[in-house]
Amino acid sequence: MATLSTNLILWDYCSIGVYFLLNIAVGVYALCGHNRSTVSGYFLAGRHMWWLPVGASLFASNIGAEHFIGMAGSGAAAGVGVGAFNFISIILLQLMSWVFLPVFISSGVCTVPEYMNKRFGGQRIQVYLALLSLVLYIFTKISVDLYSGALFINQVFHWNIYGSIVALLLLTAVFTITGGLAAVIYTDTLQFFIMIAGALVVMSKAFYEVGGYEALQYKYMQAVPELRFQNTSCGIPRADSWVMLRDPVNSDLPWPAFLLGQTPASIWYWCADQMMIQRTLASKNLSHAKGATLFAAYAKILPFFIIILPGMISRTLFPDDVACVLPEECMRACGSRSSCYNSAYPRLVVGIMPAGLKGIILAVMLSALMTDLTSIFNSASTMFSLDLWRRVRPEAKTRELLIVGKLCIVGLVVVSVAWVPVIEEVQSGQLFIYIQKVGAYLSPPIACVYSMAILWKRMNERGAFCGLMVGLAIGVTRMVLDFSYPPPACWQDESRPFIVRLNFMYFAVLLFWMTAITSATVSLMTQPPDSFRVIRTTFWTRFENAERDDDRRRNMEPEDYIRLNKELEDDIRWNMELEDDIPHLERGDKEAATEADGSQRLAHTTKFFLWLCGLQTQQSDPQMEESTLNSLEERPRTKLFLNINLVLVLAVGVGCFVYYSLDPFSGNSEPRLKMPT
């Protein structure tokens, strides 16, 4: 087999150079072609995106470096079961665009936590959900992305892992801070095609090396490391490795726990997470948003084949390195004493890709990393500025909100980098499962409350808040216990308490329904919400045209118009002073001319910096600055086309679950498949 050299050759440099030039071109287009000086322009891309870039951004925002590292590693460790997390997203994406998104659009919000303020009133739920979302971004997204991307670069290129993290942060910060959501979506679209094309190249080469799909089924079951603990199951593939939804009791992916626990928990990520909703809110209209989720759903079929199966091929080709059991063997193979499953994809690249393709593979991983990080940074800064900072400073102007949002990114990065060493210790060799566990401990209460708020008009603020607090207390308790009692190695006896041994997806079932019972009980025992609170904020009332008491767009007082116009005039005057602040020139006065030239250069430099960061002020209608998409109208033919594709994509999603939950081997006896010759 060809081995990938650790040194870059000319073709690699050319590939990396073309990759960066394409990104720069797309970034410049976003900078020059879009207004980034307003809240709607910077945080929601002006709300004029069509379905293809939005759909590509949805896919790319989800598939990050942690999937190429974590999902491929889980495939190498336990087979196709991890694919269930991928296929369920095909269904939940449509739940978002057909049920949740119309409510968010009709309520006229810019952020998902803001919806809670419109639905229930008060500020505590909005502030709490914004803060918790930022915490989840740090624990399950930013730090995981940084760790997995740096791990890949370290495994393949032997660069220092923390030096790689710094370089990756500098790369992503340029696009996020300067361009806003428009730059993020357009670069996501570019990264989408680069990532898919590069991953397909690796997949094709991997299947060629292993001998095809049927050969993989047999060879994977025989992929046992030569050195392992005898008289144990250590290093031996699971008997149900080719079954996706598994035994309810004696398995790592029990099907009742997944369907009743993991699926509701995933509603938060796909239906009520700012990162996903923000992209669909940037669409031209509801039809384009639905088309985007359909496109993303069809694309979500690919990760099973381009990430999970290559991870399994890696174990098949390199069992002594990827499936190592002895701590000293794992230290030799990947530098970790626990396991080397996270190195499955990098080891595959090193082992089978010929020299000269290193630049392309690096571009694939940079694409996966950049799309995830830029999306997270933009969404986090949006929530911090609009949901939190506005509560601290209600009088904050647009420029202040934009500056605060950019500074928020810096703070998130610092905290996330500090969390990376913790991830190295607690992820136990399967990074993707770590992500799912943290989500199962914290996200079910959020998913439950959002679902009830949208579907049940009787739910009130007190019930929602009590449900969230009870769910938080229970979830954090389980998470602390889980981190305090790490799982035993395969050769060790199980001695953890039952609450820790309980599968995290079964725990998600209990957490979701305990939150629902608490919220429903408190809501029924207290006063119902004000009648105007449910106008256009539930699925059943999304088409109502009645006037809300808190609708500023319809009930703005004259003094509010005066204040908004004064703010805009102040900003415009501040910009004009940059141009007019030049000393009077007298003909022949060289000293005055020199001073004037210096002042003019400073003014132009300042204006360029403001334009680069999207802080320049444009003369526009202050009422349009935070315009919201509020039309749910769809053309009949377009609606019919979208509904037909809805049925098709749901059938594909269910079909994938059914097909990959059937064991290709007949129990422990003779296999149904014939071994390829």
Side-chain angles (χ1 to χ4, degrees), residues 531-553:
S531 58
F532 78 89
R533 291 290 177 193
V534 297
I535 297 175
R536 295 187 299 278
T537 56
T538 71
F539 183 77
W540 320 110
T541 61
R542 65 192 187 281
F543 293 112
E544 289 187 2
N545 293 319
E547 187 173 350
R548 290 176 58 99
D549 294 349
D550 60 348
D551 196 337
R552 292 180 69 248
R553 288 173 297 164

PDB file of all heavy atoms in Angstrom, residues 531-553:
ATOM      1  N   SER A 531     -53.689  36.083  26.938  1.00  0.00           N
ATOM      2  CA  SER A 531     -54.192  35.614  25.641  1.00  0.00           C
ATOM      3  C   SER A 531     -53.338  36.104  24.478  1.00  0.00           C
ATOM      4  O   SER A 531     -53.157  35.394  23.477  1.00  0.00           O
ATOM      5  CB  SER A 531     -55.638  36.071  25.452  1.00  0.00           C
ATOM      6  OG  SER A 531     -55.730  37.488  25.547  1.00  0.00           O
ATOM      7  N   PHE A 532     -52.772  37.322  24.575  1.00  0.00           N
ATOM      8  CA  PHE A 532     -51.987  37.834  23.454  1.00  0.00           C
ATOM      9  C   PHE A 532     -50.652  37.102  23.310  1.00  0.00           C
ATOM     10  O   PHE A 532     -50.014  37.171  22.252  1.00  0.00           O
ATOM     11  CB  PHE A 532     -51.757  39.346  23.599  1.00  0.00           C
ATOM     12  CG  PHE A 532     -50.692  39.726  24.583  1.00  0.00           C
ATOM     13  CD1 PHE A 532     -49.366  39.839  24.196  1.00  0.00           C
ATOM     14  CD2 PHE A 532     -51.017  39.976  25.914  1.00  0.00           C
ATOM     15  CE1 PHE A 532     -48.382  40.202  25.104  1.00  0.00           C
ATOM     16  CE2 PHE A 532     -50.040  40.335  26.827  1.00  0.00           C
ATOM     17  CZ  PHE A 532     -48.720  40.448  26.426  1.00  0.00           C
ATOM     18  N   ARG A 533     -50.211  36.394  24.352  1.00  0.00           N
ATOM     19  CA  ARG A 533     -48.928  35.696  24.292  1.00  0.00           C
ATOM     20  C   ARG A 533     -48.924  34.547  23.287  1.00  0.00           C
ATOM     21  O   ARG A 533     -47.854  34.168  22.785  1.00  0.00           O
ATOM     22  CB  ARG A 533     -48.557  35.155  25.671  1.00  0.00           C
ATOM     23  CG  ARG A 533     -48.215  36.211  26.708  1.00  0.00           C
ATOM     24  CD  ARG A 533     -46.905  36.864  26.396  1.00  0.00           C
ATOM     25  NE  ARG A 533     -46.569  37.934  27.341  1.00  0.00           N
ATOM     26  CZ  ARG A 533     -45.599  38.817  27.146  1.00  0.00           C
ATOM     27  NH1 ARG A 533     -44.864  38.746  26.052  1.00  0.00           N
ATOM     28  NH2 ARG A 533     -45.371  39.756  28.032  1.00  0.00           N
ATOM     29  N   VAL A 534     -50.069  33.964  23.017  1.00  0.00           N
ATOM     30  CA  VAL A 534     -50.116  32.817  22.106  1.00  0.00           C
ATOM     31  C   VAL A 534     -50.431  33.230  20.675  1.00  0.00           C
ATOM     32  O   VAL A 534     -50.522  32.372  19.795  1.00  0.00           O
ATOM     33  CB  VAL A 534     -51.143  31.777  22.593  1.00  0.00           C
ATOM     34  CG1 VAL A 534     -50.733  31.223  23.939  1.00  0.00           C
ATOM     35  CG2 VAL A 534     -52.538  32.357  22.642  1.00  0.00           C
ATOM     36  N   ILE A 535     -50.600  34.516  20.414  1.00  0.00           N
ATOM     37  CA  ILE A 535     -50.853  34.978  19.051  1.00  0.00           C
ATOM     38  C   ILE A 535     -49.577  34.820  18.229  1.00  0.00           C
ATOM     39  O   ILE A 535     -48.537  35.403  18.544  1.00  0.00           O
ATOM     40  CB  ILE A 535     -51.322  36.450  19.040  1.00  0.00           C
ATOM     41  CG1 ILE A 535     -52.652  36.595  19.783  1.00  0.00           C
ATOM     42  CG2 ILE A 535     -51.450  36.962  17.607  1.00  0.00           C
ATOM     43  CD1 ILE A 535     -53.119  38.029  19.909  1.00  0.00           C
ATOM     44  N   ARG A 536     -49.642  33.997  17.205  1.00  0.00           N
ATOM     45  CA  ARG A 536     -48.521  33.722  16.291  1.00  0.00           C
ATOM     46  C   ARG A 536     -47.307  33.106  16.989  1.00  0.00           C
ATOM     47  O   ARG A 536     -46.194  33.138  16.443  1.00  0.00           O
ATOM     48  CB  ARG A 536     -48.091  34.994  15.539  1.00  0.00           C
ATOM     49  CG  ARG A 536     -49.151  35.535  14.589  1.00  0.00           C
ATOM     50  CD  ARG A 536     -48.610  36.683  13.740  1.00  0.00           C
ATOM     51  NE  ARG A 536     -48.177  37.808  14.543  1.00  0.00           N
ATOM     52  CZ  ARG A 536     -48.993  38.739  15.029  1.00  0.00           C
ATOM     53  NH1 ARG A 536     -50.294  38.670  14.791  1.00  0.00           N
ATOM     54  NH2 ARG A 536     -48.522  39.738  15.751  1.00  0.00           N
ATOM     55  N   THR A 537     -47.458  32.531  18.165  1.00  0.00           N
ATOM     56  CA  THR A 537     -46.325  31.900  18.850  1.00  0.00           C
ATOM     57  C   THR A 537     -46.548  30.409  19.101  1.00  0.00           C
ATOM     58  O   THR A 537     -45.741  29.790  19.799  1.00  0.00           O
ATOM     59  CB  THR A 537     -46.037  32.597  20.190  1.00  0.00           C
ATOM     60  OG1 THR A 537     -47.212  32.595  20.993  1.00  0.00           O
ATOM     61  CG2 THR A 537     -45.565  34.028  19.967  1.00  0.00           C
ATOM     62  N   THR A 538     -47.615  29.829  18.555  1.00  0.00           N
ATOM     63  CA  THR A 538     -47.810  28.389  18.622  1.00  0.00           C
ATOM     64  C   THR A 538     -48.108  27.878  17.216  1.00  0.00           C
ATOM     65  O   THR A 538     -48.462  28.655  16.311  1.00  0.00           O
ATOM     66  CB  THR A 538     -48.954  27.987  19.559  1.00  0.00           C
ATOM     67  OG1 THR A 538     -50.214  28.344  18.961  1.00  0.00           O
ATOM     68  CG2 THR A 538     -48.820  28.667  20.913  1.00  0.00           C
ATOM     69  N   PHE A 539     -47.987  26.586  17.035  1.00  0.00           N
ATOM     70  CA  PHE A 539     -48.246  26.007  15.717  1.00  0.00           C
ATOM     71  C   PHE A 539     -49.693  26.220  15.296  1.00  0.00           C
ATOM     72  O   PHE A 539     -49.987  26.390  14.113  1.00  0.00           O
ATOM     73  CB  PHE A 539     -47.910  24.516  15.738  1.00  0.00           C
ATOM     74  CG  PHE A 539     -48.071  23.841  14.412  1.00  0.00           C
ATOM     75  CD1 PHE A 539     -47.119  24.008  13.411  1.00  0.00           C
ATOM     76  CD2 PHE A 539     -49.176  23.034  14.155  1.00  0.00           C
ATOM     77  CE1 PHE A 539     -47.269  23.388  12.181  1.00  0.00           C
ATOM     78  CE2 PHE A 539     -49.331  22.413  12.929  1.00  0.00           C
ATOM     79  CZ  PHE A 539     -48.380  22.585  11.938  1.00  0.00           C
ATOM     80  N   TRP A 540     -50.598  26.223  16.264  1.00  0.00           N
ATOM     81  CA  TRP A 540     -52.029  26.333  15.954  1.00  0.00           C
ATOM     82  C   TRP A 540     -52.455  27.775  15.704  1.00  0.00           C
ATOM     83  O   TRP A 540     -53.526  28.008  15.150  1.00  0.00           O
ATOM     84  CB  TRP A 540     -52.847  25.729  17.092  1.00  0.00           C
ATOM     85  CG  TRP A 540     -52.237  24.474  17.629  1.00  0.00           C
ATOM     86  CD1 TRP A 540     -51.654  24.295  18.841  1.00  0.00           C
ATOM     87  CD2 TRP A 540     -52.109  23.218  16.949  1.00  0.00           C
ATOM     88  NE1 TRP A 540     -51.171  23.022  18.979  1.00  0.00           N
ATOM     89  CE2 TRP A 540     -51.439  22.327  17.836  1.00  0.00           C
ATOM     90  CE3 TRP A 540     -52.492  22.756  15.686  1.00  0.00           C
ATOM     91  CZ2 TRP A 540     -51.149  21.016  17.485  1.00  0.00           C
ATOM     92  CZ3 TRP A 540     -52.197  21.446  15.341  1.00  0.00           C
ATOM     93  CH2 TRP A 540     -51.535  20.594  16.231  1.00  0.00           C
ATOM     94  N   THR A 541     -51.655  28.733  16.112  1.00  0.00           N
ATOM     95  CA  THR A 541     -52.029  30.141  15.956  1.00  0.00           C
ATOM     96  C   THR A 541     -51.064  30.899  15.041  1.00  0.00           C
ATOM     97  O   THR A 541     -51.063  32.128  15.032  1.00  0.00           O
ATOM     98  CB  THR A 541     -52.049  30.838  17.328  1.00  0.00           C
ATOM     99  OG1 THR A 541     -50.734  30.791  17.916  1.00  0.00           O
ATOM    100  CG2 THR A 541     -53.034  30.170  18.266  1.00  0.00           C
ATOM    101  N   ARG A 542     -50.274  30.189  14.264  1.00  0.00           N
ATOM    102  CA  ARG A 542     -49.223  30.851  13.478  1.00  0.00           C
ATOM    103  C   ARG A 542     -49.783  31.752  12.384  1.00  0.00           C
ATOM    104  O   ARG A 542     -49.087  32.675  11.916  1.00  0.00           O
ATOM    105  CB  ARG A 542     -48.286  29.803  12.873  1.00  0.00           C
ATOM    106  CG  ARG A 542     -48.925  28.868  11.856  1.00  0.00           C
ATOM    107  CD  ARG A 542     -48.002  27.701  11.532  1.00  0.00           C
ATOM    108  NE  ARG A 542     -48.480  26.845  10.454  1.00  0.00           N
ATOM    109  CZ  ARG A 542     -49.400  25.916  10.589  1.00  0.00           C
ATOM    110  NH1 ARG A 542     -49.956  25.710  11.783  1.00  0.00           N
ATOM    111  NH2 ARG A 542     -49.777  25.170   9.557  1.00  0.00           N
ATOM    112  N   PHE A 543     -51.017  31.526  11.943  1.00  0.00           N
ATOM    113  CA  PHE A 543     -51.599  32.341  10.879  1.00  0.00           C
ATOM    114  C   PHE A 543     -52.449  33.494  11.402  1.00  0.00           C
ATOM    115  O   PHE A 543     -53.006  34.252  10.601  1.00  0.00           O
ATOM    116  CB  PHE A 543     -52.452  31.467   9.955  1.00  0.00           C
ATOM    117  CG  PHE A 543     -51.657  30.466   9.155  1.00  0.00           C
ATOM    118  CD1 PHE A 543     -51.778  29.109   9.409  1.00  0.00           C
ATOM    119  CD2 PHE A 543     -50.786  30.880   8.156  1.00  0.00           C
ATOM    120  CE1 PHE A 543     -51.050  28.184   8.679  1.00  0.00           C
ATOM    121  CE2 PHE A 543     -50.055  29.961   7.419  1.00  0.00           C
ATOM    122  CZ  PHE A 543     -50.184  28.614   7.676  1.00  0.00           C
ATOM    123  N   GLU A 544     -52.582  33.648  12.703  1.00  0.00           N
ATOM    124  CA  GLU A 544     -53.441  34.700  13.253  1.00  0.00           C
ATOM    125  C   GLU A 544     -52.883  36.083  12.921  1.00  0.00           C
ATOM    126  O   GLU A 544     -51.672  36.304  12.929  1.00  0.00           O
ATOM    127  CB  GLU A 544     -53.577  34.535  14.763  1.00  0.00           C
ATOM    128  CG  GLU A 544     -54.417  33.335  15.174  1.00  0.00           C
ATOM    129  CD  GLU A 544     -54.672  33.301  16.677  1.00  0.00           C
ATOM    130  OE1 GLU A 544     -54.216  34.241  17.367  1.00  0.00           O
ATOM    131  OE2 GLU A 544     -55.307  32.339  17.140  1.00  0.00           O
ATOM    132  N   ASN A 545     -53.791  37.019  12.672  1.00  0.00           N
ATOM    133  CA  ASN A 545     -53.397  38.389  12.329  1.00  0.00           C
ATOM    134  C   ASN A 545     -53.720  39.387  13.432  1.00  0.00           C
ATOM    135  O   ASN A 545     -53.551  40.589  13.232  1.00  0.00           O
ATOM    136  CB  ASN A 545     -54.103  38.826  11.040  1.00  0.00           C
ATOM    137  CG  ASN A 545     -53.629  38.035   9.835  1.00  0.00           C
ATOM    138  OD1 ASN A 545     -52.443  37.755   9.691  1.00  0.00           O
ATOM    139  ND2 ASN A 545     -54.566  37.659   8.968  1.00  0.00           N
ATOM    140  N   ALA A 546     -54.179  38.898  14.571  1.00  0.00           N
ATOM    141  CA  ALA A 546     -54.541  39.815  15.661  1.00  0.00           C
ATOM    142  C   ALA A 546     -53.318  40.570  16.153  1.00  0.00           C
ATOM    143  O   ALA A 546     -52.173  40.111  16.035  1.00  0.00           O
ATOM    144  CB  ALA A 546     -55.179  39.027  16.809  1.00  0.00           C
ATOM    145  N   GLU A 547     -53.556  41.745  16.712  1.00  0.00           N
ATOM    146  CA  GLU A 547     -52.470  42.585  17.200  1.00  0.00           C
ATOM    147  C   GLU A 547     -52.055  42.162  18.602  1.00  0.00           C
ATOM    148  O   GLU A 547     -52.890  41.911  19.472  1.00  0.00           O
ATOM    149  CB  GLU A 547     -52.924  44.047  17.220  1.00  0.00           C
ATOM    150  CG  GLU A 547     -51.820  45.030  17.557  1.00  0.00           C
ATOM    151  CD  GLU A 547     -52.281  46.461  17.403  1.00  0.00           C
ATOM    152  OE1 GLU A 547     -53.378  46.663  16.857  1.00  0.00           O
ATOM    153  OE2 GLU A 547     -51.554  47.365  17.836  1.00  0.00           O
ATOM    154  N   ARG A 548     -50.757  42.069  18.803  1.00  0.00           N
ATOM    155  CA  ARG A 548     -50.195  41.737  20.111  1.00  0.00           C
ATOM    156  C   ARG A 548     -49.913  43.009  20.896  1.00  0.00           C
ATOM    157  O   ARG A 548     -49.518  44.040  20.326  1.00  0.00           O
ATOM    158  CB  ARG A 548     -48.884  40.951  19.946  1.00  0.00           C
ATOM    159  CG  ARG A 548     -49.055  39.545  19.422  1.00  0.00           C
ATOM    160  CD  ARG A 548     -47.689  38.897  19.201  1.00  0.00           C
ATOM    161  NE  ARG A 548     -46.910  38.870  20.426  1.00  0.00           N
ATOM    162  CZ  ARG A 548     -46.788  37.827  21.227  1.00  0.00           C
ATOM    163  NH1 ARG A 548     -47.405  36.698  20.933  1.00  0.00           N
ATOM    164  NH2 ARG A 548     -46.050  37.897  22.320  1.00  0.00           N
ATOM    165  N   ASP A 549     -50.079  42.936  22.210  1.00  0.00           N
ATOM    166  CA  ASP A 549     -49.820  44.105  23.060  1.00  0.00           C
ATOM    167  C   ASP A 549     -48.355  44.513  23.061  1.00  0.00           C
ATOM    168  O   ASP A 549     -48.025  45.669  23.316  1.00  0.00           O
ATOM    169  CB  ASP A 549     -50.261  43.813  24.500  1.00  0.00           C
ATOM    170  CG  ASP A 549     -51.765  43.641  24.611  1.00  0.00           C
ATOM    171  OD1 ASP A 549     -52.461  43.956  23.618  1.00  0.00           O
ATOM    172  OD2 ASP A 549     -52.238  43.187  25.672  1.00  0.00           O
ATOM    173  N   ASP A 550     -47.458  43.556  22.784  1.00  0.00           N
ATOM    174  CA  ASP A 550     -46.032  43.855  22.859  1.00  0.00           C
ATOM    175  C   ASP A 550     -45.389  43.996  21.481  1.00  0.00           C
ATOM    176  O   ASP A 550     -44.165  43.960  21.363  1.00  0.00           O
ATOM    177  CB  ASP A 550     -45.299  42.755  23.634  1.00  0.00           C
ATOM    178  CG  ASP A 550     -45.449  41.389  22.970  1.00  0.00           C
ATOM    179  OD1 ASP A 550     -46.296  41.263  22.064  1.00  0.00           O
ATOM    180  OD2 ASP A 550     -44.718  40.464  23.353  1.00  0.00           O
ATOM    181  N   ASP A 551     -46.191  44.154  20.438  1.00  0.00           N
ATOM    182  CA  ASP A 551     -45.663  44.241  19.087  1.00  0.00           C
ATOM    183  C   ASP A 551     -45.161  45.649  18.830  1.00  0.00           C
ATOM    184  O   ASP A 551     -45.932  46.563  18.543  1.00  0.00           O
ATOM    185  CB  ASP A 551     -46.738  43.870  18.066  1.00  0.00           C
ATOM    186  CG  ASP A 551     -46.148  43.581  16.701  1.00  0.00           C
ATOM    187  OD1 ASP A 551     -45.041  44.072  16.437  1.00  0.00           O
ATOM    188  OD2 ASP A 551     -46.792  42.861  15.929  1.00  0.00           O
ATOM    189  N   ARG A 552     -43.856  45.861  18.929  1.00  0.00           N
ATOM    190  CA  ARG A 552     -43.272  47.202  18.776  1.00  0.00           C
ATOM    191  C   ARG A 552     -43.437  47.726  17.358  1.00  0.00           C
ATOM    192  O   ARG A 552     -43.505  48.927  17.132  1.00  0.00           O
ATOM    193  CB  ARG A 552     -41.782  47.189  19.137  1.00  0.00           C
ATOM    194  CG  ARG A 552     -41.500  46.934  20.599  1.00  0.00           C
ATOM    195  CD  ARG A 552     -39.998  46.927  20.886  1.00  0.00           C
ATOM    196  NE  ARG A 552     -39.439  48.258  20.734  1.00  0.00           N
ATOM    197  CZ  ARG A 552     -38.589  48.581  19.771  1.00  0.00           C
ATOM    198  NH1 ARG A 552     -38.233  47.694  18.866  1.00  0.00           N
ATOM    199  NH2 ARG A 552     -38.093  49.803  19.703  1.00  0.00           N
ATOM    200  N   ARG A 553     -43.481  46.813  16.391  1.00  0.00           N
ATOM    201  CA  ARG A 553     -43.586  47.287  15.021  1.00  0.00           C
ATOM    202  C   ARG A 553     -44.922  47.966  14.761  1.00  0.00           C
ATOM    203  O   ARG A 553     -45.033  48.810  13.885  1.00  0.00           O
ATOM    204  CB  ARG A 553     -43.418  46.108  14.054  1.00  0.00           C
ATOM    205  CG  ARG A 553     -41.998  45.578  13.982  1.00  0.00           C
ATOM    206  CD  ARG A 553     -41.935  44.328  13.156  1.00  0.00           C
ATOM    207  NE  ARG A 553     -42.717  43.274  13.757  1.00  0.00           N
ATOM    208  CZ  ARG A 553     -43.087  42.175  13.125  1.00  0.00           C
ATOM    209  NH1 ARG A 553     -42.777  42.013  11.889  1.00  0.00           N
ATOM    210  NH2 ARG A 553     -43.796  41.251  13.740  1.00  0.00           N
TER     211      ARG A 553
END
